[in-house]
Amino acid sequence: MRWWWPIALALGCTPSEAPLLLVPGHVVLFVDTDAPTSLFDRLRAEVYAADASTPCSTCTREFVVDDEAFRAGASFVVRSEGGETGTRVKLSLLRAGTDGVAGTRSTIEQVVVLPTQPAEGAREVTAVLEVESLGLTRGSLVSPLPVAEGRPASSRVGTWSGATVVPCAGAPRENEVCIPGGRSGSATAARAWACSTGSTSGWWCSRRSSSRRAR
Amino acid sequence: MPTLRIELVVLLLASSALAAPPRDAVADEAQGHFVRGTQLVREARWAEALASFEKARAVKPHPITTFNIAACERAIGHLTVARAAFRQALAENDGGQLPAAFATEAKGLVAELDGVVARLALTVAPDGVALALDGRPLQTEGEVKVAGTRAPGPGETIPSERFVVELDPGAHVLVFSRKGYRDQVVRRTLEPGARESMTLSLDRLPGTLHVSSEQDGALVTVDEKDLGPVPVDVLRPAGPHLVTVSLKGFVPLESRVVLQAGEETDLRASLKPEPPAFYTRWWFWTGVAVVAAGAAVGTWAATRPAPRTPDIGGGSLGWQVELP
């Protein structure tokens, strides 16, 4: 028996890393959309505690989003110390104007209620902002929409049918470029952004003139 | 001269017996021994004459009989005995039974014997020695011890270291003895009238020490000298000795033993097993384990990083909303 073994034992027992506590319960809210990010480039989230009519001071955040952000599983975490239920989240897909403020008509907005926070670990839920709700606010603080359990298997970003790429037919005439486009049924909306931001529908657009109707 | 005196006494006794009225049988027996003694004297058969006179005195003591005994002892050469007998005859003559001439003669012979008897001044160490001289104890007469006057027997203790013995000239055997000491026998021849001295010291007898042990193979040392394993029998001078009995695995036993001279001392050691070393005891290592565990826990507690809450992150957008 050596005299130094107690010391070695003591040193050997010294932890090299701090122990981890249990993962506290929280909710991971994944946000997905079928809209192409060429239409929206901002995601705003407002979190409301139960029975609150306004978000708390630090419960509003606006993110710059793109296709890659959604494909990566755009998400954030909501956690309450007491594990309260009834937490609501108002999600908005926006397009920043020149002043950075998006108009409501070009917003896809939805109010969802989060499920009960688990005692331990994460609970993943998903809210999908669909283009069909453009200009509307689905759900409200009083009657929020439920969220889907789990995270999206894959992002639906850009899958809105109106954003389906339609190849240009034929050859462009003089001074025309091909703008691959899609849905023709939403002509009003399509006209609103044709030739201005790049087109989602098959429009021929002249470089010299504002637009030229495709055939 | 003694012969003449005794014959004279015989005549006197015979005449007195004739003149006396009829006597009892005891007197007749005494007279018979007396007459026999006188006849033996005439034949110079001193020892036999002495025996007859002693028989006569045993039956009926008489100063003349004692005088004749003294005369016989003198003739034999037992001078101290003769002197004592003459003195006794004089002492017994309180009734005037001993003729005046014989009384005077007795005194003269006592004086003569005083000069002929040898004197030996003894200095013996230690004191308290018993002395037997020629197989007899000594007779104490004042400051002097007289040899040859007592019946044969063992020597008697003489309290003092210095004393004077009067004894017949010639060869003698002196036996000095004392408990715990070796007997000492001295042969000494003294001339008539010798005045000699002698100093001697008795040697102490050693004591026998027997050492044994309940444990085989135990080693014995006496006065720091190794004597080997038990059992051990040794002779050592009387007195204190340091005895040690030791055996590996046992607590050594050390004892101071006082040996008595001429006696045997038996020392039996009962060794007790050594208590096991503290580091072989369970409680020691239990304590060490407890201390080590405490040190380990203390070290761990003192150095461990504080428990940390797992980072739950903020999702891919990096935002975590913490509701109050």
Side-chain angles (χ1 to χ4, degrees):
Chain A
M1 193 70 71
R2 303 296 184 186
W3 60 268
W4 43 260
W5 74 264
I7 299 174
L9 177 63
L11 295 177
C13 290
T14 302
S16 56
E17 294 184 357
L20 291 175
L21 299 177
L22 296 176
V23 177
H26 60 282
V27 174
V28 182
L29 176 60
F30 288 85
V31 181
D32 198 13
T33 182
D34 59 352
T37 52
S38 56
L39 299 181
F40 307 97
D41 58 359
R42 295 288 190 274
L43 173 63
R44 175 182 294 170
E46 297 172 352
V47 181
Y48 295 80
D51 301 328
S53 57
T54 56
C56 66
S57 59
T58 59
C59 294
T60 300
R61 183 71 64 89
E62 192 171 290
F63 307 95
V64 176
V65 292
D66 54 15
D67 288 0
E68 197 58 36
F70 286 107
R71 291 194 183 100
S75 59
F76 57 89
V77 171
V78 178
R79 180 174 183 276
S80 64
E81 193 66 33
E84 64 180 44
T85 60
T87 301
R88 294 148 300 163
V89 180
K90 185 176 184 180
L91 299 168
S92 304
L93 269 179
L94 312 171
R95 179 168 185 83
T98 54
D99 57 354
V101 178
T104 56
R105 289 198 300 175
S106 59
T107 299
I108 301 174
E109 196 166 76
Q110 189 173 118
V111 179
V112 298
V113 61
L114 298 182
T116 303
Q117 176 180 291
E120 178 188 346
R123 184 170 187 177
E124 295 177 337
V125 294
T126 301
V128 180
L129 299 172
E130 295 177 326
V131 177
E132 294 296 338
S133 305
L134 180 66
L136 302 175
T137 298
R138 297 187 63 198
S140 65
L141 293 177
V142 177
S143 54
L145 299 177
V147 291
E149 288 289 338
R151 67 169 65 189
S154 61
S155 177
R156 292 167 56 192
V157 65
T159 60
W160 173 53
S161 59
T164 303
V165 175
V166 178
C168 296
R173 289 175 296 185
E174 187 180 1
N175 297 327
E176 287 183 343
V177 295
C178 176
I179 303 174
R183 186 176 184 181
S184 60
S186 299
T188 303
R191 279 196 295 273
W193 57 66
C195 287
S196 59
T197 61
S199 179
T200 59
S201 58
W203 295 91
W204 293 105
C205 191
S206 172
R207 291 179 175 171
R208 290 181 297 184
S209 58
S210 58
S211 64
R212 179 171 289 187
R213 183 71 179 265
R215 289 169 294 184
Chain B
M1 288 298 290
T3 303
L4 294 177
R5 294 298 180 193
I6 290 176
E7 288 178 347
L8 182 57
V9 171
V10 171
L11 291 175
L12 287 172
L13 284 174
S15 61
S16 61
L18 292 174
R23 296 171 297 183
D24 56 19
V26 173
D28 289 343
E29 182 184 357
Q31 186 176 10
H33 290 304
F34 189 94
V35 172
R36 173 62 181 164
T38 57
Q39 291 172 347
L40 292 171
V41 167
R42 289 192 189 94
E43 297 169 9
R45 296 162 63 182
W46 299 107
E48 296 169 83
L50 175 61
S52 294
F53 289 130
E54 287 179 340
K55 289 178 181 176
R57 187 174 64 175
V59 174
K60 186 176 179 63
H62 193 282
I64 293 177
T65 306
T66 303
F67 183 94
N68 286 352
I69 289 173
C72 291
E73 295 283 11
R74 178 172 175 268
I76 293 171
H78 296 167
L79 303 186
T80 57
V81 178
R83 185 179 60 177
F86 282 126
R87 287 173 177 163
Q88 185 176 355
L90 292 172
E92 293 171 352
N93 192 32
D94 56 347
Q97 297 163 299
L98 188 64
F102 288 89
T104 303
E105 184 68 17
K107 293 177 182 174
L109 290 173
V110 168
E112 176 199 276
L113 291 172
D114 283 340
V116 175
V117 167
R119 294 172 67 91
L120 181 61
L122 289 168
T123 302
V124 182
D127 59 2
V129 170
L131 173 59
L133 203 153
D134 298 329
R136 297 168 185 265
L138 301 179
Q139 177 79 39
T140 300
E141 294 182 0
E143 300 292 329
V144 179
K145 308 293 181 185
V146 180
T149 58
R150 296 182 61 183
E156 293 180 354
T157 300
I158 302 170
S160 60
E161 288 187 357
R162 298 172 183 271
F163 55 95
V164 176
V165 177
E166 291 183 344
L167 67 171
D168 295 338
H172 297 279
V173 175
L174 295 85
V175 178
F176 300 87
S177 61
R178 190 179 191 280
K179 185 178 181 180
Y181 291 80
R182 193 183 305 282
D183 289 352
Q184 191 156 344
V185 179
V186 178
R187 295 180 182 276
R188 191 83 177 215
T189 300
L190 298 169
E191 296 296 327
R195 299 293 184 266
E196 297 184 9
S197 63
M198 182 172 67
T199 300
L200 60 86
S201 177
L202 301 186
D203 297 328
R204 294 195 71 162
L205 283 173
T208 301
L209 176 62
H210 176 75
V211 183
S212 61
S213 173
E214 294 178 355
Q215 287 76 28
D216 294 334
L219 297 177
V220 180
T221 63
V222 175
D223 298 329
E224 300 183 349
K225 292 182 179 177
D226 191 0
L227 300 182
V230 291
V232 167
D233 287 287
V234 291
L235 290 175
R236 283 291 182 274
H241 296 277
L242 183 62
V243 180
T244 303
V245 180
S246 60
L247 181 63
K248 186 177 182 181
F250 291 83
V251 178
L253 185 63
E254 186 175 279
S255 179
R256 186 166 293 276
V257 179
V258 178
L259 293 183
Q260 299 296 328
E263 295 185 356
E264 180 173 334
T265 300
D266 191 357
L267 184 64
R268 181 172 182 79
S270 178
L271 302 178
K272 294 181 178 178
E274 284 184 336
F278 69 92
Y279 53 81
T280 64
R281 304 302 296 270
W282 66 267
W283 47 260
F284 172 77
W285 288 112
T286 300
V288 169
V290 169
V291 171
V297 172
T299 303
W300 175 78
T303 60
R304 66 166 181 161
R308 54 191 173 88
T309 302
D311 185 12
I312 60 179
S316 65
L317 299 175
W319 186 39
Q320 180 182 138
V321 181
E322 190 79 27
L323 293 174

